[in-house]
Every structure is written in structure tokens, then in C-alpha cells.
Amino acid sequence: MDLSLIARVLYLRAAWRRRDHWDAARITAHQEHALKELRRAAYAGSEFYRRHHAGLHNAPLDQLPPVTKANLMDHFNEAITTPDLTLADLENHLRALTQSGRDPGLPWQGKWWAAATAGTTGRRGTFVWNRTEWATILASYARANDWAGISAGLTKPLKMALVSSRVPTHQSAVVGASLRSRIVPSLRLDVTAPMDETVAALNQFRPRILVGYASALKPLAAEQAAGRLHISPQGVMSASEVLSPRTAAELEAAWGSKPFDVYAATETAGIASPCTYRSRHVYEDLLIIEPVDQDGNLVPAETTGAKLLVTVLFSRTLPLIRYEMSDTIKLGGRGCPCGRSFTVLQNIEGRLEDVLHLPGRTGRVTIHPIVFHHVLDEAGTSGWQIIQEPGRLRVLLAGLASGSSTEGVRDALSDTLKKAGVVNTGVEVQIAERLERTALGKAPFVRALPGQQ
């Protein structure tokens, strides 16, 4: 346990609670100042950003060119502001971390924390943070508990169980190891482990807060309903996957309160989380998010963007300015009974990679996963997944709800696709013991085989 790091996190949490009372003007002023400092540091230390923003160093944020993950990784050694770090060094460190079983919460070379994405949405991304940045990341995750009204301290430890990936290069593993202490006793469970082992471990640990992928929490809710799991968490938090209304209702039925749907990413850490009224507020003091259309133009409030540009205001080691993410989200306005003026994130619809483009009568038809939720959430007791294959969609149901049949699900989904204008696409429904997961344990709703998108 790094006591100085924990102390810094506790300090930041206390300081940020005062920001909960900021009005919109104060939030905007803070963003403008923090953005100015970020750009000053990036232009001073990063050859990549000096070149990428050439002629635009004084231009407004929305005039700056976006940065993709591939672009950043291709120019990593120029983008990073610390000359003694290279991408090869970091990859070697992460590889050694995986092979050695070393505690991922310990800083590399005594001063760096690193994590990587799985590469399921394109190229693998590798990211690194110094001590100040890492404390901010830990505090951003802890903020989700504060806003949810779940307190922690020396006299009231926050027993947390996390059901996700155990891969040591995954940011959640590094975060969990860094926070493990008397204040936050934690149990980390592998989402791919047998269900009876997970249930037994949770029954013994009895967490105050249960955190996991939506695809991990859904079957646990079924175990609770069946009487095999008997825990009473103060809060249930879904993260890293889209939480559908149906799954949210099942979690509420199992544990007596609505789940908290937390939005975060490896590159950014916490982006938004719900207050006690379940309004999901954006962490606008830590980052600037811009939902944009396919051409990169900012979309108005109440409109779903085609992708998302994120500027991380505290990033210094590897600056992220208008970093492109494939998430499709919708922002609302400000104002909430909780009193916070931070913008509300209305909806997270998924990722561009989850959208299917199927043959239609006059061309390709775009089908968003929400189309499948309406049919499949009722049928799959522990989740579902669609695999796009040549000329058909193969539907995997993890369990089958009472009163449902594979034939009935097939017919209902075929009818739904027909109404959406899809032609020449068959549907096959299969019962699967478990869903296929990515290297980091996530179970995407849609998987398109190479060449099918």
C-alpha cells in the first residue's frame, strides 16, 4: 500500500466535493484555464502536438484536428512529454507484468503506472501516467462512490467486489491494486470463472459495493433471485459495457435499488457517473467531451453523436487533446435535484463497432444494437450476443427465459429486421453455455467476423 498515494487520493476527493457546488459559469471558467495549461504543457514537451496543431496553437479547441488511437500510437515517442520513456519500454514492462505475476499497483521504475486496451476496437493502445496523474485517476473512480452516496473511511471501510478482467495490464486491475488498503478492502473476481466459484467468494466476502461488467452482473442477479447468492450490497455499479434497461431492472429486482451506470475508459479514467437521483453527470472539471457527427462537427444537446472527442485536462505525460473514441453518446442539459451543475449524460448507446450494416432493398441498412435489445433482452436469461456471418446473423443466448423458444426468438428477430428494411439475411438462434469474451473479459453485444462490416 502506497500511503502517500492514498493520502493524495483522499485529499483530492475532499477538494472535489467543493466543486459539486460550482455553477455552470464556474465550471466553464475552470475548463478554459485547465485547457490553456494543458495546451501549454503539450506544446512545450510534445513534438507530435507541436506539429499536429501547427498554425493552430492559439485556435479554439473545436478547430483542432482530432487524434486517433492509431495516430497516437504511431507517434507515441514524439507525443510523450518525457523523453526517457518509449513505447517499446512500456510494452516490455506490460509484458513482464503479465508473465511475472507482479503486483500491478506498484509503480514501474518507482514513478510510472501503465495500462493497455485490448485492441478490440482497432489498434491496441498503451497509456502511462505519473504519480500526480495516477492519483487523479484513482480519485476520479472514487468520485463515483461519493456521488452515489456511498461513503468510505478508516472507521467505515468500503468492502468492494469487482467482477471483471483479471488481466494485470487492464486499468481496472491496476486501479484495484493501487487502492487496496484498510479503507478499501477489495475482492477481485475473474468474469470468466465458473459461476459457483464466484457465488461462493461473494457470499463469503459480503461486499458493500458490487462492481462489474453488465454481462457479469446480469447472471449474478439471477443467482441472487434463485437464492444461491445472498449478498446485500449498498450499491451496485455497472461499468465498461452498455447497461440495457432490461438488465438494469433485473439488477434492481435482485438487490432492491437501481444500479449506478458508470462511464469510464482506459484513456480517460472516469468520464461520468450517477448521483443518488441516477442522473449521470459528466466530470467536466477533469475533461471536455465533444459528441460529434461523422464529419467531426459538434452535435447539439439531445442528439446522439457518431463518435466522441475527449480532452483530458489533467493529462501531461501523454497529453490527450480531442482524442477520438468510437462511443456513441447523447448529452442533455444541466440541472438536477442533487444540486450539481455538471452536464447530464443522457444515454450511452454503444460503440461504432457494435453497429451492423446489413443488406437492404436499396443499399446497406444501419442496425444499432438497440434493435436487438428489444427482442433479445426478454429471451436470454444471462445475456446474448450476435455474430455476423456471411448471409446470416448467428444469435447466442446464454440461457433461455421461461416461455421463450429459439424458434420464437428467431421469428421475432427476423420480423424486426424485416421491418427495418433488411433483406437476404438469415437468423439462427443457439443456446450457449457462455458468451464469447474479449481478451479483457468483456462480452460485446455484436461481433462482426472479418470482412462482414
Side-chain angles (χ1 to χ4, degrees):
M1 179 175 63
D2 190 325
L3 292 178
S4 66
L5 186 65
I6 296 296
R8 179 64 180 172
V9 172
L10 293 175
Y11 168 79
L12 288 173
R13 289 180 69 179
W16 291 355
R17 290 185 189 111
R18 294 192 290 272
R19 298 181 181 182
D20 290 353
H21 305 289
W22 284 0
D23 60 18
R26 182 69 181 86
I27 293 171
T28 300
H30 171 84
Q31 284 187 327
E32 291 174 350
H33 175 74
L35 177 60
K36 182 178 179 180
E37 291 300 305
L38 168 61
R39 293 177 67 176
R40 184 175 62 81
Y43 299 151
S46 170
E47 174 59 31
F48 169 78
Y49 277 103
R50 286 195 295 270
R51 183 177 65 250
H52 196 59
H53 294 173
L56 298 170
H57 288 195
N58 295 314
L61 180 65
D62 61 5
Q63 293 183 18
L64 300 179
V67 178
T68 65
K69 184 192 299 181
N71 192 212
L72 191 67
M73 292 301 106
D74 283 342
H75 301 281
F76 186 96
N77 295 344
E78 297 172 285
I80 201 163
T81 60
T82 303
D84 57 344
L85 282 179
T86 68
L87 182 58
D89 291 338
L90 287 170
E91 289 290 4
N92 287 336
H93 158 65
L94 293 174
R95 191 176 303 110
L97 189 64
T98 301
Q99 296 171 350
S100 67
R102 176 175 169 266
D103 183 352
L106 296 175
W108 178 51
Q109 297 183 352
K111 55 184 177 180
W112 307 110
W113 285 262
T117 65
T120 53
T121 60
R123 181 167 176 177
R124 167 185 165 101
T126 301
F127 300 88
V128 62
W129 304 272
N130 63 25
R131 177 171 290 270
T132 299
E133 293 164 323
W134 190 242
T136 303
I137 284 174
L138 297 180
S140 82
Y141 283 116
R143 170 182 265 179
N145 299 327
D146 287 343
W147 284 11
I150 302 172
S151 60
L154 289 174
T155 59
K156 195 173 185 180
L158 181 61
K159 293 184 69 177
M160 178 178 68
L162 179 63
V163 188
S164 64
S165 167
R166 298 271 324 249
V167 176
T169 59
H170 189 217
Q171 192 185 67
S172 67
V174 190
V175 168
S178 298
L179 287 176
R180 191 181 301 119
S181 62
R182 289 174 53 200
I183 300 175
V184 188
S186 58
L187 172 67
R188 188 172 184 84
L189 299 171
D190 192 334
V191 68
T192 63
M195 182 57 66
D196 57 347
E197 294 180 10
T198 300
V199 168
L202 288 172
N203 283 336
Q204 181 177 8
F205 187 70
R206 296 188 178 276
R208 275 185 61 203
I209 182 169
L210 176 63
V211 185
Y213 300 152
S215 61
L217 296 175
K218 181 180 174 72
L220 286 175
E223 292 293 307
Q224 182 86 13
R228 291 182 288 272
L229 179 64
H230 40 84
I231 60 175
S232 301
Q234 185 179 346
V236 176
M237 293 192 173
S238 175
S240 298
E241 292 179 344
V242 173
L243 177 67
S244 71
R246 172 73 180 191
T247 297
E250 292 175 6
L251 303 188
E252 182 177 3
W255 290 297
S257 63
K258 294 180 179 179
F260 296 92
D261 191 4
V262 178
Y263 182 35
T266 298
E267 300 93 319
T268 62
I271 297 175
S273 68
C275 63
T276 55
Y277 290 88
R278 300 313 193 273
S279 296
R280 196 164 32 202
H281 297 277
V282 179
Y283 295 175
E284 293 179 288
D285 53 335
L286 303 181
L287 41 78
I288 297 172
I289 64 174
E290 303 172 82
V292 297
D293 60 22
Q294 288 285 12
D295 297 322
N297 301 310
L298 190 66
V299 301
E302 314 286 340
T303 303
T304 301
K307 51 190 173 181
L308 184 67
L309 303 181
V310 181
T311 298
V312 181
L313 296 172
F314 61 87
S315 60
R316 292 295 184 272
T317 305
L318 183 63
L320 296 178
I321 302 175
R322 304 201 88 200
Y323 176 82
E324 184 177 301
M325 298 171 59
S326 62
D327 297 6
T328 56
I329 72 166
K330 180 194 298 183
L331 292 179
R334 301 181 186 273
C336 175
C338 74
R340 294 179 180 87
S341 295
F342 292 92
T343 295
V344 172
L345 175 57
Q346 280 192 350
N347 199 18
I348 305 170
E349 295 191 4
R351 308 172 309 170
L352 286 176
E353 291 78 14
D354 291 331
V355 175
L356 291 178
H357 303 282
L358 302 175
R361 298 180 185 88
T362 59
R364 307 292 280 180
V365 177
T366 299
I367 302 295
H368 193 276
I370 193 66
V371 172
F372 302 117
H373 281 295
H374 292 318
V375 177
L376 300 179
D377 282 355
E378 299 288 336
T381 57
S382 296
W384 55 266
Q385 192 171 70
I386 291 179
I387 301 175
Q388 184 182 14
E389 298 176 336
R392 72 168 185 174
L393 299 179
R394 182 157 55 93
V395 180
L396 304 179
L397 296 179
L400 190 64
S402 176
S404 297
S405 67
T406 56
E407 294 80 6
V409 174
R410 179 199 62 202
D411 293 345
L413 188 54
S414 296
D415 185 58
T416 298
L417 292 173
K418 182 179 179 181
K419 290 178 180 177
V422 175
V423 299
N424 301 324
T425 300
V427 175
E428 178 183 338
V429 179
Q430 302 173 350
I431 304 301
E433 183 176 341
R434 61 177 58 197
L435 303 178
E436 297 186 39
R437 295 184 178 273
T438 69
L440 293 183
K442 298 180 183 180
F445 288 124
V446 174
R447 293 179 58 241
L449 298 185
Q452 294 306 304
Q453 283 284 60

